[in-house]
Amino acid sequence: MERMMERMYRAMWDGQPDLTAPFGGESEHSDINLSLDADDDGYVVLADMPGFEKEEIDLRYEDGSLSVEASHETNEESDTVARHYTRHVYERIHVPGEVLEEEITASYHNGVLEVHLPALETDEPDDGTRIDID
């Protein structure tokens, strides 16, 4: 609910600084549009992250989840005004299958982070556990 309200607030004040955040900067929220898709080799995660440098992104896979965290700071100074903007995003997404952690690859081009998570192949498909009904 909070995320929805933040998006509504940003849509209403498009382009305006978040006055509820300290020093007129942006509030700590995530707006990276993270998606997870399955392909023939495993999973692909895409995240729209314009405005970040590759060095500002921290990408981790742990306990079946991929986390993306990034922070960007900008300072603007003129003769009369000094502004400091901070943008911080954090998202965590659960990957539904087992992954070969040592073969995970990632690239970042034109503001899009792409992560390939190769699936661990098993002999039997995981169809879940069949439960008999009495």
Side-chain angles (χ1 to χ4, degrees):
M1 183 73 158
E2 183 179 68
R3 178 182 271 171
M4 184 178 72
M5 292 300 290
E6 285 179 12
R7 286 183 184 178
M8 287 173 38
Y9 180 83
R10 284 194 312 266
M12 187 170 64
W13 296 101
D14 189 28
Q16 300 297 319
D18 183 353
L19 300 176
T20 62
F23 310 111
E26 292 188 12
S27 63
E28 188 172 314
H29 55 74
S30 181
D31 56 357
I32 62 175
N33 298 321
L34 195 68
S35 68
L36 172 73
D37 295 306
D39 66 8
D40 294 338
D41 299 323
Y43 305 95
V44 177
V45 174
L46 295 174
D48 294 326
M49 301 180 67
F52 289 102
E53 298 295 326
K54 181 174 78 170
E55 297 79 23
E56 297 172 328
I57 301 171
D58 183 28
L59 184 64
R60 296 178 187 269
Y61 181 82
E62 183 177 19
D63 296 328
S65 294
L66 181 73
S67 63
V68 180
E69 185 172 9
S71 215
H72 179 78
E73 294 185 19
T74 303
N75 293 310
E76 296 177 9
E77 294 186 27
S78 69
D79 293 338
T80 57
V81 178
R83 294 182 181 176
H84 177 80
Y85 296 97
T86 301
R87 179 175 177 214
H88 182 87
V89 294
Y90 176 81
E91 282 285 345
R92 186 176 182 136
I93 190 165
H94 176 72
V95 180
E98 294 197 39
V99 171
L100 294 167
E101 292 184 43
E102 60 277 354
E103 294 183 22
I104 296 173
T105 59
S107 62
Y108 182 68
H109 299 286
N110 296 326
V112 178
L113 176 67
E114 185 172 337
V115 184
H116 291 268
L117 302 126
L120 180 66
E121 293 185 26
T122 58
D123 295 334
E124 297 179 22
D126 184 14
D127 292 331
T129 303
R130 173 130 171 83
I131 301 171
D132 292 325
I133 303 172
D134 292 326

